[in-house]
Amino acid sequence: MSRGRALGIAAGLAALALLHLGPLAWLLVSSLQPERDLLRFPPTLWPRRVTAEHYTEILGRGSDFYRALGHSLAIAVATTALCLALGALGAYALARLRFPGRRRLYFLVLLTYMLPGVALLIPTILLLRALGLVGSYAGLVVSYLPFFLTLTIWVLRGFFLAVPPDLEQAAQVDGCTRVEALWRVILPLSAPGLGATAIIVFIMTWNEYMYAKVIGSTRFQTLPVYVLTLANQQFRSDAGILSAAALVTMAPVVLLVIGFQRLIVAGLTEGALKD
Amino acid sequence: MVLRSRLGLASHRTRRRRASGETRLAALLFAPTALALAGLVALPLALSLAVSLTRVDVQSLRLTFVGLRQWAALLRDPLLATVLGNTALYWAATLVLGLAVSLPLAWLLTQEFPGRAAARVVLLIPFAIAPASLVVVWGWILNSSYGLLNGLLYYLGLTAEDTVIAYLTEPWPARASLIFVNLWRIVPFMTLLILAGLQAVSRDQLDAARVDGSGPWQTARHVVLPAIRLQIVAALVVASVWSIKTFDLVVGLTNGGPGHSTLMIYFYAYRKVFQELDFGYGAVLSYVAFALMAVAALVSARAHADAA
């Protein structure tokens, strides 16, 4: 490799790291300083005084944070489980079975995924109100299905297509029915794909704001709603607390992503690139 | 001869039987999804069409049929042109700049160098961060009085101590800031998609091109770019969907302001419904957002078909 080229690569990487890790580092630095040190110009790049007061306030006893964490966890887990259970069946049909209208159905799934949430939110909230489900976990989880179930099918279909058909045929020769073949051959072989899909849906549900705010209504707040509510409190927009809240909210998913990066990259690119 | 035709007939029949069996199984497996989508997509869309034709009284939830009056209101809405213009600018800027950055970045990541795995993790981080947290980070960095960006400009000697650049409260800086933050979260994703494509371009293809005497630029244009067309289309589709669906960034960073300078279709529709409680016109606007998305979907389907 030529020297100039190596330098170019190094410069590009440094820019990438600076741009993407810098803001997070800055958030961390901000969250560790007392408020009066934050409200000065120019800002101090390295904390003069370090304090954990913002974290103790957020993570203290009886804080709203824990309630939001509980809501977020319950909803993300329920949505992920439901999407995977229903999506695996649908994805298998699209990946492996021949039937008339298969391509059109696949396109319909994609189109539904692209539907703007705001278009569905209005009628959905009217329906949920009629059913008495506004402000309930069930109402929110069900409202997520149009987006995350179609996303699940899209991504999983890619993984199912990657399983060699011979293996499934061999199982059928051995006397398995198609459903048994799905259960005994395709699903175990696609375990990494199922894992990747689960993580992606979990993260997207965890991060969703608009539906969580409107459907959670006054009954419950998920973490993103909690953070943005905190941010929009005009009279107490405390930069330190806000930074700490944002960091604590993103920490679990960032760790998840770092731990499973290979799987997630496969999942994110698989669905999009299989025609 | 007779035997063969009989055999052919038999296999034809089993094939047909198998095919109808597969159709039945497919229907069975797809039933839960179809049911969910019928109840949660088809029914709501029909309902929303009905809402767009009626005036909803929020207090009593009484509906009055008004026909196409709310659709006609689109033509008289003085804000609509601004909103569509803002949306188009934001969308186009994200696609053009996003591609301009992610193509070279993806190429960079195909090179062998220490820390390549770490670089990929960095690319995934924006995907993991909730937009709600993202606006906290960027709102704080772009803060005009205490923000990091103004601080860095000062430390670098580019601005005086009393220079205050308002990134979020002046129309053009606010538009640019939103586009920047959008790129910050989308470019890594586009890069990952394009990278997946680049890795599929085989060594052989590149070597063959070199043997034929094609230079690096020619190879890029005539060998690499055609090979990753599908991935580029996918990246543009993802960027389009995320851009049109932008909501949290606007809520957290500019709230559509200053004035109406960052008011975009998605946020505008939401505001009509949930702040101004104008359900009918909000439904009409959400169909406009849907139409934009459908254009993106159809264009991508076309490109997919061409590339495949």
Side-chain angles (χ1 to χ4, degrees), chain A residues 100-115:
Chain A
R102 182 169 74 147
R103 282 199 70 87
R104 218 165 296 154
L105 192 62
Y106 175 57
F107 189 63
L108 204 65
V109 166
L110 275 188
L111 197 66
T112 308
Y113 171 64
M114 289 184 175
L115 261 182

Side-chain angles (χ1 to χ4, degrees), chain A residues 8 34 63 135 172 186:
Chain A
S63 148
Q172 278 173 281
I186 301 257

Side-chain angles (χ1 to χ4, degrees), chain B:
Chain B
M1 193 67 199
V2 176
L3 188 69
R4 200 186 292 164
S5 81
R6 229 190 238 156
L7 274 178
L9 203 66
S11 80
H12 188 70
R13 210 180 283 149
T14 39
R15 211 179 305 145
R16 196 188 299 158
R17 196 179 315 138
R18 220 184 112 210
S20 83
E22 287 199 9
T23 305
R24 222 173 308 140
L25 183 59
L28 198 68
L29 294 180
F30 215 82
T33 303
L35 209 65
L37 296 187
L40 296 161
V41 179
L43 180 63
L45 279 184
L47 191 61
S48 138
L49 196 62
V51 168
S52 78
L53 300 176
T54 46
R55 193 97 234 140
V56 183
D57 184 84
V58 186
Q59 297 300 313
S60 61
L61 277 181
R62 188 172 302 145
L63 308 173
T64 331
F65 184 75
V66 295
L68 289 175
R69 205 181 303 162
Q70 291 172 128
W71 284 88
L74 270 182
L75 300 174
R76 287 186 321 255
D77 184 348
L79 273 180
L80 189 69
T82 314
V83 167
L84 289 180
N86 289 338
T87 312
L89 173 75
Y90 177 82
W91 184 10
T94 303
L95 292 191
V96 172
L97 298 176
L99 208 56
V101 179
S102 55
L103 272 174
L105 193 56
W107 172 81
L108 200 65
L109 289 170
T110 58
Q111 307 295 304
E112 292 289 339
F113 56 84
R116 201 164 80 151
R120 278 167 202 234
V121 174
V122 172
L123 285 183
L124 270 182
I125 287 178
F127 166 72
I129 297 176
S133 302
L134 204 60
V135 301
V136 170
V137 183
W138 285 102
W140 182 225
I141 290 175
L142 299 172
N143 185 301
S144 58
S145 319
Y146 313 112
L148 178 66
L149 187 52
N150 277 338
L152 286 179
L153 290 178
Y154 167 72
Y155 282 128
L156 291 173
L158 296 172
T159 53
E161 188 166 1
D162 53 358
T163 311
V164 172
I165 303 178
Y167 296 100
L168 296 172
T169 48
E170 290 288 333
W172 283 102
R175 289 188 186 115
S177 299
L178 273 184
I179 292 169
F180 177 81
V181 177
N182 197 37
L183 285 170
W184 190 87
R185 64 180 182 144
I186 288 179
V187 162
F189 199 98
M190 296 174 80
T191 307
L192 284 173
L193 286 173
I194 293 171
L195 179 61
L198 283 179
Q199 282 168 336
V201 179
S202 69
R203 227 18 306 154
D204 294 353
Q205 275 171 288
L206 297 178
D207 290 342
R210 193 171 308 147
V211 170
D212 289 349
S214 115
W217 286 113
Q218 282 170 310
T219 310
R221 237 189 90 203
H222 298 298
V223 180
V224 179
L225 272 187
I228 59 170
R229 224 165 79 198
L230 197 65
Q231 285 77 10
I232 291 179
V233 170
L236 292 177
V237 172
V238 171
S240 295
V241 172
W242 285 17
S243 300
I244 297 171
K245 280 188 173 185
T246 297
F247 174 72
D248 326 35
L249 293 188
V250 182
V251 173
L253 288 177
T254 63
N255 212 17
H260 303 300
S261 57
T262 57
L263 200 58
M264 290 185 280
I265 187 70
Y266 214 71
F267 179 68
Y268 185 46
Y270 176 89
R271 202 167 80 169
K272 271 281 173 238
V273 175
F274 294 99
Q275 284 170 19
E276 299 171 26
L277 300 177
D278 188 345
F279 279 67
Y281 191 54
V284 171
L285 286 174
S286 67
Y287 272 99
V288 175
F290 186 25
L292 290 182
M293 205 76 88
V295 169
L298 289 176
V299 168
S300 72
R302 257 325 272 269
H304 252 267
D306 288 350

Side-chain angles (χ1 to χ4, degrees), chain A residues 13-131:
Chain A
L13 288 175
L16 176 74
L18 203 66
L19 253 171
H20 280 91
L21 299 179
L24 302 186
W26 174 241
L27 198 65
L28 181 65
V29 168
S30 301
S31 71
L32 291 171
Q33 296 190 68
E35 195 63 20
R36 63 176 184 285
D37 285 3
L38 290 173
L39 302 183
R40 64 169 79 222
F41 190 86
T44 43
L45 299 180
W46 192 251
R48 291 175 201 192
R49 277 174 293 243
V50 170
T51 171
E53 64 186 41
H54 304 307
Y55 288 97
T56 49
E57 183 161 345
I58 286 179
L59 302 175
R61 201 177 275 265
S63 148
D64 285 342
F65 174 80
Y66 290 111
R67 234 159 292 144
L69 182 71
H71 297 313
S72 275
L73 258 181
I75 284 159
V77 168
T79 307
T80 308
L82 194 60
C83 285
L84 236 55
L86 300 183
L89 302 179
Y92 177 79
L94 286 180
R96 275 293 200 266
L97 301 177
R98 316 217 139 265
F99 56 91
R102 182 169 74 147
R103 282 199 70 87
R104 218 165 296 154
L105 192 62
Y106 175 57
F107 189 63
L108 204 65
V109 166
L110 275 188
L111 197 66
T112 308
Y113 171 64
M114 289 184 175
L115 261 182
V118 72
L120 282 185
L121 184 53
I122 303 160
T124 300
I125 199 92
L126 293 175
L127 282 177
L128 290 180
R129 192 170 289 171
L131 297 170

Side-chain angles (χ1 to χ4, degrees), chain A residues 168-181:
Chain A
E168 201 188 344
Q169 276 156 14
Q172 278 173 281
V173 169
D174 288 348
C176 280
T177 64
R178 287 212 83 127
V179 179
E180 278 169 346

